[in-house]
Amino acid sequence: MRVAARLRGYGRPRELVVRYVVLTLVLALMVGPLLWQLLSSLKGDGEAIFGDAAGLIPREPTLEAYQTVFDQAPMARYMLNSLIMCALTVTSQVIFPTLAGYMMSRQGWRGRKAVYAVLIVSMIFPFESIMVSLFMMVRDAGLVDNLIGVWLPGAIAAVNVLIMRATFDAVPDEVEDAALLDGANEWQRFTKIYLPASVGAMMVVIINSFIAAWDDFLWPFIVLRSENLFTLTLGLSRMAESSLGYDVRIVMAGSVISIAPILILFIVLQRWFYKGVAEGAVK
């Protein structure tokens, strides 16, 4: 009876079947390529990856491709550089947009609407339209072939400032009024009310910033020259162009390695990722 009542809560059985069929198709389209990539990287030398003779499941799974990647390419160095970039980017994207979003949510100061308009306009132009001017600024600052030169132009994203502003605007005024009656100063209201209310939004900023920094290819390709400073995306590109690139299994293994940190980050942060702003505000 309880199962039937629960099913009625989700809709009629036919609608439920259609819903699950659609979700299964979406899941197959999203996970299918990743699963094929993982299984292909586990195949041995004698197994076909493409063509009629290729099978999905490896006959004799092996980690030889992963061993070759780490033996013949400085993957550990590439991953360390990418992690450094992600740490710098996530730190700046959390601290500065949070502070800026809080200040923009405060009422009564002159120029608030102008700053908001500038942020909106800055999001209209694609990165490629300002890429040349950014590179000239980085070059004049002496940051070419430097990880700081890769990080600095993307240290703060306008979209993250707007996300945090919207989050702080959603906090009920009654909560802050109660804190004012209790004698809380500006810093106490920010740390005790607004920061707990922004946990969900901050997790979104962290995950999006990490993915953007980890997957970035074009800007590091323009700025970096020395191979010991290459990020993982540049290292995989160099590997695909070298003699190792002729072995598809090795390229697949390198791609799986590049995806793993993103999956781990999301698995670790997903419980906070789905927290609502209202729940944090009540706390």
Side-chain angles (χ1 to χ4, degrees):
M1 296 295 294
R2 293 181 179 178
V3 175
R6 187 173 297 179
L7 290 176
R8 285 196 299 270
Y10 286 107
R12 292 180 295 180
R14 182 178 301 177
E15 296 176 353
L16 192 62
V17 170
V18 173
R19 189 178 303 173
Y20 276 108
V21 169
V22 172
L23 290 176
T24 302
L25 291 175
V26 172
L27 182 64
L29 291 174
M30 296 179 64
V31 180
L34 298 177
L35 181 61
W36 174 78
Q37 184 173 283
L38 173 63
L39 295 175
S40 297
S41 67
L42 297 175
K43 291 183 177 181
D45 290 333
E47 297 186 59
I49 297 179
F50 305 104
D52 297 334
L56 180 62
I57 307 299
R59 292 192 298 268
E60 297 180 359
T62 177
L63 297 177
E64 180 184 353
Y66 293 90
Q67 185 65 39
T68 303
V69 168
F70 281 96
D71 288 344
Q72 302 190 26
M75 293 295 291
R77 185 64 190 178
Y78 297 156
M79 295 181 69
L80 178 61
N81 292 334
S82 292
L83 288 175
I84 292 173
M85 289 303 308
C86 290
L88 292 172
T89 302
V90 169
T91 301
S92 62
Q93 292 286 9
V94 170
I95 294 176
F96 296 114
T98 299
L99 296 175
Y102 177 74
M103 289 186 290
M104 289 191 63
S105 67
R106 303 292 84 196
Q107 303 287 338
W109 57 278
R110 185 173 300 178
R112 179 170 172 266
K113 294 183 179 179
V115 173
Y116 179 78
V118 170
L119 290 175
I120 293 294
V121 171
S122 68
M123 296 171 58
I124 298 176
F125 301 97
F127 171 75
E128 290 76 10
S129 65
I130 61 174
M131 184 172 58
V132 176
S133 58
L134 277 179
F135 176 76
M136 294 177 65
M137 294 172 62
V138 170
R139 182 196 60 187
D140 294 341
L143 296 177
V144 173
D145 201 23
N146 192 312
L147 291 179
I148 299 298
V150 178
W151 161 74
L152 194 57
I156 305 174
V159 64
N160 291 334
V161 176
L162 298 180
I163 288 175
M164 300 309 298
R165 172 186 178 273
T167 301
F168 293 136
D169 283 341
V171 176
D173 295 335
E174 292 79 4
V175 177
E176 184 175 11
D177 293 340
L180 284 172
L181 291 176
D182 291 337
N185 57 33
E186 187 79 21
W187 178 252
Q188 290 173 332
R189 297 198 303 272
F190 174 67
T191 56
K192 302 298 183 181
I193 297 176
Y194 287 94
L195 279 185
S198 64
V199 171
M202 290 174 68
M203 292 303 108
V204 173
V205 171
I206 289 174
I207 292 177
N208 289 340
S209 301
F210 185 93
I211 294 175
W214 186 267
D215 290 340
D216 192 15
F217 172 78
L218 181 58
W219 184 242
F221 177 76
I222 295 174
V223 175
L224 299 179
R225 301 288 186 270
S226 303
E227 187 173 0
N228 64 322
L229 294 176
F230 280 2
T231 58
L232 186 59
T233 53
L234 289 181
L236 291 175
S237 176
R238 176 66 61 87
M239 183 183 67
E241 295 173 357
S242 66
S243 58
L244 294 176
Y246 292 105
D247 192 336
V248 179
R249 298 179 305 113
I250 297 178
V251 177
M252 295 291 184
S255 300
V256 171
I257 293 172
S258 68
I259 296 173
I262 297 175
L263 295 177
I264 294 173
L265 177 71
F266 183 79
I267 291 172
V268 172
L269 298 182
Q270 63 176 334
R271 59 174 296 189
W272 293 283
F273 183 80
Y274 296 111
K275 281 188 176 180
V277 174
E279 180 183 354
V282 171
K283 290 181 179 180

